[in-house]
Amino acid sequence: QIGIVLKVKITNGDGLKLHPYVIEQARRQSREFSLGELHRLATQLLQMDHKLKTESRDPHLLLDLFVVDVCKK
């Protein structure tokens, strides 16, 4: 979801092969975040995914920490 919002923020939906409803929803959500914030969130999700696949980490804890960080905004 964050990846779609980030792509729509960058392209305004132009050239994306997504349903118009998905683009409009992502456009609306993208207004809540700066481009930098979306990049930071996408990076955090990639790091979390990497940790889940390579380390013995509690997935619920990682997700909780991510949600808390997002809600600090």
Side-chain angles (χ1 to χ4, degrees), residues 40-41 44 63-73:
R40 183 178 59 81
L41 293 173
Q44 284 180 307
L63 185 58
D64 286 346
L65 291 172
F66 175 76
V67 170
V68 167
D69 188 52
V70 171
C71 292
K72 282 194 287 187
K73 176 186 179 272

Side-chain angles (χ1 to χ4, degrees), residues 9-35:
K9 181 85 166 182
I10 292 169
T11 66
N12 196 34
D14 297 334
L16 297 178
K17 294 182 180 182
L18 297 170
H19 192 280
Y21 179 79
V22 172
I23 292 174
E24 186 53 40
Q25 292 301 310
R27 213 179 264 137
R28 190 169 346 127
Q29 291 172 351
S30 74
R31 292 183 197 120
E32 301 295 322
F33 299 94
S34 70
L35 188 57

